[in-house]
Each structure stands twice: as C-alpha cells, then as structure tokens.
Amino acid sequence: MKFLSYIANFLKSISIKNFQTLFRAIKTESPKKIFKNFRKLLVDDKLGRVQRVGDLLFCCDFVTFYKKNLLAGGWTGAPSGIQNINIYNGNDLLDSVICQKFRPDIEQNYPDIKNAANAGFEFRKKWTQPLPEKLIFEVTQENGQVFKFPIKVIDIFELKDYYPSMNLLPFEAFQLLIEIEKKDISIRKNRLKKLATFKNRPLISIVSILEEKLDATQFEALANSIEKQMYDHWEWIIFTNPKNSTINESWILDQTFIDKNKTKVIASFTENNRPIQKKIIEHCNGEWICQFRTNCILEENSFYWIMDAINNQQAHFFSSDNDCFDLIKKERSEPDFKSNFNEALLQCHNYIGRFFVANKTALLNKIENKNHSYYSFWLSLTLNQENIYHIPKVSYHQIFALDTNTILDKNDLDVHRMENCIDAVLENGIVKNTFRVKYQIAEPKLVSIVIPFKDDVDTLKKCIDSILLKTNYPNFEVVLVSNNSSEEATFNYLEELTKQHPFIKYFKYDIPFNYSKINNWGVEKANGDYILLLNNDIEVISENWLSSMVEHVQQEKVGAVGAKLLYPDDTVQHAGIVIGIHGVAENAHKYISKDDHGYANRIDLIQNLSACTAACLLIKKSVFEKVGGLDEVNLKVNFNDVDLCLKIRELGLQIVYTPYAQLYHYESKSRGNNYSTPEKRQREIEEIQYFKKRWKQFLKTTDPYYNPNLTHSKAD
C-alpha cells in the first residue's frame, strides 16, 4: 500500500516533461533505481525545487534539523550572478550566506549561470527554540533583483537521498548513520530475511586470547556482543591469560551470560604478540575462523556482513572497518573507514588492524608452522591479494586502547623485507608509529622531465631553477615544449638556458592547445627510460623529490608515481586522486594544511591509489607507450591524467603516491580557469561525459582505495 501511495502522489505532481523522462527511464534503468528516483521526486516536491523566476534558478536540497542545528543547503544562480542569500525565520534574519560551494554538476547542466561551478550554498545555525515550519530564502542578484522562496523544514530521516550533500560535521554524519540503523526496524528484518537465503551456512569459530588488561565488565561486553549476533551458528574458543588473575577458566564458566554449550575455555596462553598459530587454529571446529584482539567487541551485524561476504565473494580472508565504543557512555566514535588491500600503505603500518575472518583450510595452509602477529600475517598475504576481501562495514568496536608495539611491528616489516629480498632500508615515517620502506635505486636510469609551456618566463624560470638547485637525482634531462609562445623574452631565455645546460632542450609545437597531444609529442622527443610529466607552474621543495619517485617506479609492479603538491599558502593541492568524488574524480585532501596528516594520516603515508595528477607524474616510458599515452582525441585538457592512470591499472600495474616528493603547484596559472570562456566550459562538459562513458564500470564500483562510507561530495 505504501508503494501505491508513493505512485499516486507522484502522478499528481508529475508534468508532461516528467512523463517523458519516466518513459526513457523505464527503457534504460532498473526498477530499483526508478523507485529511488520516485521517492526523491516526492521529497523534491515537498521542498519545492527547482524553482525558476525569470532567469533566476533556485534549488534547495534540504532544510532540516539535527544535533541542535538548523541545516540547509542547495544552489542558486543567474546569468547576472548572485550577490547573497538572506535566510529568515518569519521576519527574523538568521544569516546571510554567499554561493561558494563547489558544484560541478551545476556547471555541467546550467553553463549559462555566472560562476556555476561554485553555485552551491550552505547554512548552519545553532537552534534551541521551537522548530520553525519553514524558512524564507531571500536571493539577491548582482543586478539588484530580489526574490523570496519559502521552504519547509523536513525531518532529517525523510531526506535519506540527500545525506551525502548535507553540511554535516564528520561526527554528526557518523551518528546519523547509527541512528538510522536503530530507527529503521525494516533494516534488521531485511537482513534476517536475506540471512535465511544464504546457502553456505558454516560454523564460525571465534578465537579470543584474553588481554592482561581485560576486566570483567569488558569481558561481559565481549560475550554479549557475540550472543547478539544475527547468525548463531558459532563456537567461542577462549584462551585465558595467566597474567589476568580475574578472568580465569572457573570464573568464565560461572558466568550466566556465557553459553556453555558453545564455549570452550583453554587455560594459560601468554603469546599475545604472535596469536595466529597452528596450535590455536587446531582447537577450532569451524570451517571459518574469526579472530580479533579482546580489547574489541563485535558489532551486532558483524556476522551478517561476514556471512554475506562468505556467500558472495570469492575470497578466503576478510578484513573490515572499525570504530571506538565507550562502555560507560554507550557512544560510538572515531570510525576507521579503510582502503581495500593496499600493499604500499601496509608497508607503512598495519592499517588493516587486529581483526580477520579466514577460511580454516586456507589459513592453516598459509601460516603452516609459523607463528604470526596480525601485522606479519597481513604482510604475508601481499602476494595473495586477490584472496582478500575488505568488508566496508564497522564490524567491530575497540573498547580500550592497547599500546602500539612499534618495535615488534618494525621487526615484522624487516623480516618481511628480508624474506622477500627487498633491497631497501627501513626508516621511521613522517607520522608517529609509521614506517618508510626506502627502496635502494638499483640503477639511476635517465629520467626525461617533459614540461609544456606558453611564454610566462618568470613562472618557467622558477620551475627550472628549482629543478637545477634542488634535485639530487644524478641522471635526468629536461624536455621543454613551447606551445604557441610568441614573446622575445621567452626565446632569449631558452637559448641561454640550453647553452648553459646541454641536458636541457626545447622544441616548438605550435598547435591549438591540447594538453594531451603536447605531452605525447614531448614524450616522443624524450630519451629517458622514465618520463616525468611536469607542469611549468611547479616549484621543487624537497631535494630528494625525484629520487623518492624513482625508487618506486623502478619496481616491476609499479606503473606510475605521484607526488605531494602544495599551494603557495602551504595547503594541500594534491595527495593523490579519488575516483568518484563530484561524480568523476578529484584530488584528495584538497585545501588541508600541509602540517595536517589527513584522514587516517594518509596525506603523509606512501600508498597505492587509483590515480595521481599529471602535474607531476613519473611513468615508465614503455608503459606510457603501451597504453597509448594521454588521450589527445577525447580528453584534450581535463581528466586525461586520471584516464592514463586507470589504463595503467588495467595492465595490472600499481599507481603509487609518495609524500616524500614535495613540490609547490601554482595550478593552471598560465592557462586560466577551465570555466573562463563558454568554449572551455563546453569542452569540459564533453570531456566529463566521455570520461563517465569510458570508465562507466569503474565508476559503478567504489574506488578500491577509498572507502564507500566516505563522502563523494567533498575532497577533504
């Protein structure tokens, strides 16, 4: 009946144009997607969006209330531009905001709007008074015209499709997700129903090796978290710790909250540093093993997600996300949303954590007679990555912290290095309790630094001078490609430069600006085994920048290496690229201070990513040629570097980001903004459309190095 009500209400408000859209959707979209859009259109109707008055467009995505805050967001624009938006409760002015939120979707769909790329607005205000029925949005255009739009305040739980675009703080967003789980009883019902359909219903053996610090309250919380699991075909194998005098075998078996028929207690085990052992696993009867440190408890949906993975993923080993849980306040916090298996990141620290689910047979075959820590176990799976699946759900909660055993972790990493004959030295990382595997450069092969430019001698000179003064890599050449330069000062500088430095050469390539074609042409003129694509508006910061990149690109499994780029104000411009942000791709951690380590410290950790910017990208020349270089037909200016990296990944090669190569980037200083002319706007729209079509399958799935629980509407 609820579905029929949705349809009836939808038909009341739908226009002829909407019917045409619906007809096209029925031919091309799945019923699930169509129904989701029905629901969204009903909410749109409540909000009264999109509204047009003359040449002014106004769209309010949401007006709602959460955590003692009134929240609103949307976009507006006109060819003449928008001055500001005053927001009223009745006659009371609450705030005045300006449009400055990045909205590339508006740029694509409404190119005639002035400053369309930043047409979004956000509003947040502390609110302890009775909730207003509606807010008034008074939009003032730059030409002086004023229009008012009354918008209803809607319960936040009715706005499910708009959560990603809300200006929630991270802790608010996480708490909202938790509240949705608690409020919506249909979620649990649907999970129980799906659980009943799983054909593979194995016994799961839970392995707990008790911590010395574990107290009775924490142990009871652990036991209760196991008892609450939706999937109840499990056994619990508990290894007591002689250093824990409270929680011993007799005490455990006396507790009423323990299911004694499903629990086995084994006395005295102290090897917490090497808990993954054959003699432990052999005590388990289950086909699958779930093992984790006992400073943690299970999320009540944990076994549902695990069973879903066992039944639907071709993998033998599973990891998951986690957060922290305060047993006194009963509050969850600090969610750790992780990357899929990330070899380079794992060599910096054990980002995966101390929790795993494994097929018993595969686990025994893997560990054989060797005793593993959690870190050494994950490192041992590096050559078996296709057998690992990351469950992007918070499957467990940390209830108290354990001291990080940096010495043990470093020893594990060193043993892994030696066993795999990795020619590297092990150093401490930029971030506390992390490491840097610094690879020795086997042979300093020639690097060709390809720099396209057009006049602007001062910018080019700053770039070249920084390379000459701050590069300790011994073997490089510079290939300068002039594209339509016309100033006498430019050519005077080039003549003098090439006379002084024989390893610097320049060429003229006077064609209409096509970034991809110019770089491809420059690569043809290069003699190096490695190609460094470099923008002319780059300035080197760290002397070891090129060496830090070569140490990775020399590896057989690596196709390209990117660097940490900063704006002149020392905020991050690039720390890798995430596919899917703003619907296409965007630089990660943009505008964050260079001293901030970023989410999960990832700004300052070497890691695998799906893409890095060609503003500074080191590539094997053979790989560049194999993938056909940059796409000079369909991606002349935008997203050609992302496309290049994805083509490299299709070959099975890795993209590596290193924070040890640091440079300033004055970003597109010599070419201007992509939106500065109608032609540039149209070109970008077409290139975005092509990219979405070319990488449709990749965009359907989440970037493997970016957790799907993280935002796709912001780059921070």
Side-chain angles (χ1 to χ4, degrees):
M1 291 303 293
K2 192 174 183 180
F3 175 78
L4 293 175
S5 175
Y6 275 152
I7 298 297
N9 288 333
F10 172 73
L11 292 174
K12 286 178 186 176
S13 61
I14 199 166
S15 66
I16 296 298
K17 185 178 179 181
N18 291 142
F19 268 120
Q20 292 169 347
T21 303
L22 174 61
F23 180 70
R24 286 196 299 271
I26 289 170
K27 293 196 296 182
T28 59
E29 304 290 355
S30 67
K32 183 178 178 182
K33 188 169 183 181
I34 292 170
F35 178 71
K36 183 179 179 182
N37 287 334
F38 276 174
R39 184 156 55 95
K40 195 168 181 179
L41 275 167
L42 291 175
V43 177
D44 289 353
D45 188 52
K46 286 184 183 180
L47 291 167
R49 50 172 308 214
V50 174
Q51 302 185 57
R52 181 188 292 271
V53 182
D55 61 1
L56 172 72
L57 289 172
F58 177 81
C59 172
C60 187
D61 289 329
F62 57 88
V63 184
T64 191
F65 177 80
Y66 189 64
K67 297 286 183 185
K68 298 181 180 179
N69 281 285
L70 271 176
L71 304 170
W75 62 271
T76 187
S80 61
I82 302 299
Q83 184 176 312
N84 70 309
I85 306 168
N86 290 330
I87 302 171
Y88 293 88
N89 174 27
N91 294 320
D92 298 331
L93 178 64
L94 302 181
D95 202 357
S96 183
V97 299
I98 59 173
C99 294
Q100 57 184 6
K101 185 179 179 183
F102 185 49
R103 289 295 298 263
D105 55 325
I106 307 306
E107 168 65 27
Q108 291 175 49
N109 292 303
Y110 301 99
D112 293 333
I113 290 176
K114 184 177 179 181
N115 196 31
N118 297 292
F121 66 85
E122 293 182 336
F123 164 75
R124 166 186 286 266
K125 188 173 184 65
K126 285 286 182 186
W127 196 260
T128 55
Q129 304 170 39
L131 203 58
E133 182 184 343
K134 61 185 176 182
L135 298 182
I136 308 296
F137 292 77
E138 182 185 79
V139 181
T140 303
Q141 295 180 238
E142 287 184 2
N143 63 13
Q145 287 188 291
V146 179
F147 298 99
K148 293 184 179 181
F149 302 91
I151 305 294
K152 294 177 183 178
V153 179
I154 296 179
D155 188 302
I156 195 167
F157 294 102
E158 290 188 49
L159 294 166
K160 191 172 182 180
D161 295 309
Y162 294 96
Y163 295 152
S165 63
M166 286 187 183
N167 53 325
L168 295 168
L169 300 174
F171 78 92
E172 290 175 336
F174 186 54
Q175 291 302 319
L176 180 60
L177 291 176
I178 294 168
E179 287 180 48
I180 292 168
E181 287 272 333
K182 291 177 180 177
K183 273 179 173 284
D184 194 343
I185 58 173
S186 65
I187 293 176
R188 182 175 176 84
K189 284 182 180 178
N190 290 336
R191 286 175 180 164
L192 286 168
K193 190 183 294 185
K194 186 176 179 182
L195 193 59
T197 66
F198 292 147
K199 293 180 180 179
N200 188 3
R201 302 178 64 81
L203 176 67
I204 298 177
S205 295
I206 306 159
V207 175
S208 294
I209 301 167
L210 303 187
E211 308 289 345
E212 180 183 350
K213 295 179 180 180
L214 194 72
D215 63 31
T217 302
Q218 293 159 348
F219 180 83
E220 184 175 357
L222 172 59
N224 288 338
S225 76
I226 294 171
E227 288 286 345
K228 286 179 180 177
Q229 294 304 304
M230 293 183 195
Y231 183 73
D232 61 0
H233 192 32
W234 49 263
E235 65 173 3
W236 189 13
I237 316 296
I238 303 171
F239 293 85
T240 61
N241 189 328
K243 295 180 180 179
N244 190 325
S245 57
T246 303
I247 308 175
N248 53 43
E249 183 176 8
S250 60
W251 182 88
I252 292 171
L253 295 175
D254 279 345
Q255 304 310 307
T256 57
F257 54 78
I258 295 291
D259 186 338
K260 298 173 181 61
N261 295 323
K262 299 169 76 169
T263 304
K264 179 164 59 176
V265 183
I266 300 166
S268 302
F269 183 87
T270 57
E271 189 59 89
N272 267 354
N273 285 337
R274 301 286 172 191
I276 306 172
Q277 305 180 11
K278 183 179 180 181
K279 68 179 182 180
I280 289 175
I281 306 306
E282 287 176 339
H283 283 283
C284 301
N285 298 311
E287 185 184 338
W288 287 83
I289 310 298
C290 177
Q291 185 169 338
F292 52 95
R293 293 292 293 267
T294 54
N295 68 323
C296 300
I297 60 175
L298 293 176
E299 158 62 24
E300 65 178 43
N301 298 295
S302 183
F303 280 9
Y304 164 76
W305 289 320
I306 288 167
M307 286 300 297
D308 191 21
I310 288 171
N311 278 269
N312 293 295
Q313 303 297 330
Q314 300 298 316
H316 291 149
F317 306 99
F318 299 106
S319 64
S320 86
D321 302 330
N322 67 279
D323 63 11
C324 295
F325 186 76
D326 188 316
L327 287 176
I328 297 172
K329 295 180 180 178
K330 306 297 182 186
E331 290 179 353
R332 291 166 58 181
S333 62
E334 300 178 50
D336 187 2
F337 293 123
K338 304 164 187 173
S339 163
N340 284 4
F341 195 86
N342 193 321
E343 181 180 346
L345 184 60
L346 186 62
Q347 293 188 16
C348 294
H349 72 127
N350 180 15
Y351 78 91
I352 301 177
R354 293 162 175 81
F355 172 100
F356 71 85
V357 176
N359 176 273
K360 181 180 177 180
T361 302
L363 182 61
L364 287 172
N365 289 339
K366 185 63 189 174
I367 63 177
E368 296 179 332
N369 293 314
K370 186 175 180 179
N371 298 341
H372 279 286
S373 69
Y374 287 91
Y375 191 26
S376 69
F377 172 67
W378 292 122
L379 287 167
S380 74
L381 292 175
T382 297
L383 299 177
N384 199 22
Q385 295 178 30
E386 68 281 356
N387 245 329
I388 306 167
Y389 178 75
H390 167 243
I391 301 171
K393 301 289 184 182
V394 175
S395 296
Y396 65 103
H397 316 289
Q398 184 176 297
I399 53 175
F400 66 90
L402 292 172
D403 294 333
T404 302
N405 194 332
T406 308
I407 295 174
L408 174 67
D409 285 354
K410 197 167 187 177
N411 288 340
D412 286 339
L413 190 53
D414 215 25
V415 168
H416 174 76
R417 179 186 64 81
M418 291 185 289
E419 288 179 346
N420 290 277
C421 302
I422 298 170
D423 188 11
V425 294
L426 195 55
E427 299 178 350
N428 290 328
I430 298 169
V431 181
K432 186 180 179 181
N433 296 329
T434 67
F435 312 106
R436 177 190 183 186
V437 176
K438 187 176 181 181
Y439 296 93
Q440 301 299 309
I441 296 174
E443 180 185 351
K445 294 181 178 179
L446 179 65
V447 175
S448 296
I449 304 175
V450 177
I451 307 175
F453 68 95
K454 178 185 178 183
D455 291 316
D456 195 358
V457 170
D458 291 341
T459 296
L460 180 62
K461 187 174 187 302
K462 183 183 285 187
C463 176
I464 298 298
D465 286 351
S466 69
I467 292 171
L468 296 176
L469 291 171
K470 297 182 180 178
T471 304
N472 60 16
Y473 186 77
N475 192 12
F476 68 91
E477 66 172 4
V478 179
V479 179
L480 299 171
V481 183
S482 168
N483 175 233
N484 298 317
S485 295
S486 58
E487 297 173 6
E488 185 179 350
T490 301
F491 296 104
N492 289 341
Y493 170 69
L494 293 173
E495 291 295 333
E496 184 181 345
L497 184 67
T498 52
K499 281 181 184 177
Q500 291 180 1
H501 306 285
F503 57 88
I504 299 178
K505 50 191 177 182
Y506 82 90
F507 302 91
K508 293 181 181 180
Y509 192 47
D510 295 335
I511 61 167
F513 181 66
N514 180 328
Y515 180 85
S516 296
K517 195 168 187 177
I518 295 165
N519 275 281
N520 289 343
W521 192 84
V523 170
E524 290 176 7
K525 304 297 180 186
N527 299 310
D529 291 291
Y530 305 137
I531 301 297
L532 182 80
L533 301 180
L534 193 72
N535 281 16
N536 64 319
D537 53 356
I538 291 281
E539 181 183 358
V540 175
I541 299 173
S542 55
E543 291 185 350
N544 62 351
W545 70 285
L546 191 50
S547 300
S548 297
M549 299 177 81
V550 171
E551 68 173 272
H552 294 287
V553 82
Q554 69 177 349
Q555 298 174 58
E556 188 176 344
K557 61 194 170 189
V558 176
V561 182
K564 180 178 180 180
L565 305 182
L566 303 175
Y567 287 113
D569 64 356
D570 284 331
T571 57
V572 173
Q573 188 266 336
H574 170 271
I577 291 175
V578 176
I579 312 300
I581 291 184
H582 301 314
V584 189
E586 180 58 281
N587 294 353
H589 291 109
K590 207 168 182 179
Y591 308 125
I592 288 178
S593 167
K594 73 167 185 178
D595 298 321
D596 192 322
H597 300 309
Y599 185 75
N601 299 315
R602 285 182 65 174
I603 290 176
D604 287 326
L605 296 173
I606 297 168
Q607 62 199 273
N608 298 124
L609 291 169
S610 290
C612 286
T613 179
C616 181
L617 188 68
L618 184 64
I619 316 166
K620 292 184 176 79
K621 187 176 184 180
S622 59
V623 171
F624 187 87
E625 292 171 340
K626 191 170 184 178
V627 299
L630 296 165
D631 187 339
E632 58 190 56
V633 176
N634 303 293
L635 300 170
K636 297 176 182 178
V637 179
N638 303 290
F639 302 109
N640 38 46
D641 46 4
V642 184
D643 176 75
L644 174 68
C645 288
L646 292 180
K647 289 188 293 188
I648 290 170
R649 291 192 69 242
E650 279 188 325
L651 297 178
L653 298 173
Q654 297 177 359
I655 309 297
V656 173
Y657 160 80
T658 175
Y660 296 95
Q662 287 193 35
L663 309 96
Y664 283 119
H665 185 201
Y666 299 93
E667 195 174 25
S668 303
K669 191 174 180 181
S670 62
R671 288 286 170 184
N673 191 295
N674 286 339
Y675 317 118
S676 59
T677 66
E679 291 78 12
K680 288 184 178 182
R681 287 200 295 269
Q682 183 59 34
R683 180 183 61 208
E684 189 189 35
I685 291 167
E686 290 172 357
E687 289 177 338
I688 287 172
Q689 290 171 344
Y690 171 79
F691 182 90
K692 286 183 174 181
K693 183 178 179 181
R694 168 68 175 85
W695 297 105
K696 183 179 179 180
Q697 291 305 119
F698 190 93
L699 287 165
K700 276 185 178 179
T701 59
T702 304
D703 186 326
Y705 302 117
Y706 188 74
N707 193 290
N709 294 294
L710 298 176
T711 181
H712 281 78
S713 63
K714 297 179 183 178
D716 59 4

